Amino acid sequence: MTNQKYATMVKIRSKDSPIVKNCVKAFCIGGTICLIGQGILELYQALGVDAETAKTLCSVTLVGLGVLLTGLHQYERLAKHGGAGTLVPITGFANAMSSPAIEFRAEGLITGLAAKMFVIAGPVLVYGTSAAIIYGVIYYFATAL
């Protein structure tokens, strides 16, 4: 079978993705996660926590909720419908960090849980940290001149 025949066969048998529907669902679910985050932030501030500490507590709470939902296998169900809307908020980062660790926990504490925790998010963390250092050095020398 030639590449052209294969491409034609794939095109015929593949059904079109409902792009608009998927985008609307991602927007609504991602927006709802962010709305919950804003509610948590407002709650902390209403309890008398200063703004900077409330932001930190809100982030920690959302990460905790993301890990909890991942551990209970509910984040996958949410992601099935929300797609990228569940990846963008901080809860998506928590899911990316915890899901490999939870999946490989049967292999043991060190070789399973600890080793697999950074499989997905590790490269992102390394790149982000490296990029921040490089940009910081460039910014330092650009403003010092």
Side-chain angles (χ1 to χ4, degrees), residues 2-134:
T2 65
N3 287 341
Q4 186 177 10
K5 284 183 181 180
Y6 181 75
T8 304
M9 184 179 75
V10 167
K11 188 174 182 178
I12 291 170
R13 295 197 178 179
S14 298
K15 67 178 190 177
D16 291 335
S17 176
I19 294 172
V20 174
K21 178 182 172 186
N22 289 345
C23 288
V24 169
K25 286 169 65 173
F27 176 80
C28 290
I29 290 178
T32 301
I33 293 170
C34 294
L35 183 65
I36 291 168
Q38 186 66 37
I40 292 169
L41 177 65
E42 297 292 331
L43 176 66
Y44 282 129
Q45 289 180 333
L47 292 173
V49 178
D50 66 280
E52 286 302 312
T53 306
K55 290 175 188 176
T56 302
L57 290 172
C58 178
S59 295
V60 170
T61 303
L62 287 171
V63 167
L65 286 173
V67 171
L68 178 66
L69 290 174
T70 300
L72 296 174
H73 302 287
Q74 298 304 306
Y75 206 86
E76 322 168 349
R77 291 181 59 208
L78 185 63
K80 180 180 176 184
H81 298 287
T86 59
L87 296 175
V88 175
I90 195 169
T91 53
F93 177 74
N95 174 262
M97 290 288 289
S98 60
S99 60
I102 291 168
E103 183 178 339
F104 290 100
R105 73 180 178 268
E107 294 180 18
L109 186 62
I110 302 299
T111 59
L113 184 79
K116 301 297 182 179
M117 187 179 302
F118 297 104
V119 167
I120 294 175
V124 174
L125 293 172
V126 170
Y127 175 77
T129 304
S130 302
I133 291 169
I134 292 168

